[in-house]
Amino acid sequence: MSRFHEIKHRVATTFQRHVGNPLLSRLPNQAILETTGRRSGLARQTPIGGSRVGREFWIVSEFGEKSQYVRNIQADPRVRVRLKGQWHTGTAHLLPDDDPRARLKALPRFNSAAVQAIGTNLLTIRVDLDD
């Protein structure tokens, strides 16, 4: 990763951790991804932008395998997703062969624009929902 991308990643994740995520988590219709912490074993919740299509929920991570929630998925792919106030269980799949820029065109516009602007290593994730 270039020095510029490293700084961009550090600034973005610090902002998300301390400002963006705490605010977004309080919004009742904000989608939330819950993973299990790979070291702590505790539930970790991350506000996300994505879209449900049938029994699948699609996300694009802006920092790919550097995202903490992606690292958690690698350790344990069982997740929960809160959609419109309802929790759904499922299994997350990292899709490095999917075209994340094309995928973003099918996801919510505002979030997709932010992911493209901030992202340095886009990665598509599909959650197969149990219900």
Side-chain angles (χ1 to χ4, degrees):
M1 181 180 282
S2 74
R3 181 81 176 129
F4 172 74
H5 285 152
E6 184 62 37
I7 291 169
K8 189 176 181 182
H9 175 258
R10 212 174 291 143
V11 169
T13 55
T14 299
F15 175 81
Q16 288 170 337
R17 184 174 299 122
H18 298 291
V19 180
N21 290 355
L23 291 174
L24 290 172
S25 294
R26 293 186 176 144
L27 298 175
N29 285 328
Q30 174 65 49
I32 304 284
L33 175 69
E34 184 178 89
T35 59
T36 301
R38 63 194 176 282
R39 288 184 245 164
S40 69
L42 299 174
R44 301 295 184 195
Q45 295 183 353
T46 305
I48 53 170
S51 185
R52 182 175 183 163
V53 179
R55 293 183 63 184
E56 298 173 337
F57 186 77
W58 292 87
I59 312 162
V60 174
S61 167
E62 63 263 61
F63 300 115
E65 293 183 9
K66 285 195 76 165
S67 292
Q68 297 302 313
Y69 71 88
V70 172
R71 291 178 179 184
N72 290 343
I73 288 169
Q74 289 173 319
D76 181 359
R78 293 296 298 165
V79 300
R80 290 195 322 152
V81 181
R82 186 182 80 182
L83 303 171
K84 299 180 182 174
Q86 299 287 339
W87 285 101
H88 305 271
T89 58
T91 304
H93 304 276
L94 307 180
L95 304 173
D97 294 331
D98 190 73
D99 181 352
R101 294 197 186 282
R103 181 70 56 194
L104 284 170
K105 292 178 183 175
L107 300 180
R109 187 174 295 154
F110 178 76
N111 181 73
S112 294
V115 168
Q116 284 191 2
I118 296 169
T120 57
N121 187 23
L122 305 182
L123 175 65
T124 302
I125 301 164
R126 184 189 75 234
V127 178
D128 294 335
L129 301 171
D130 296 334
D131 53 350

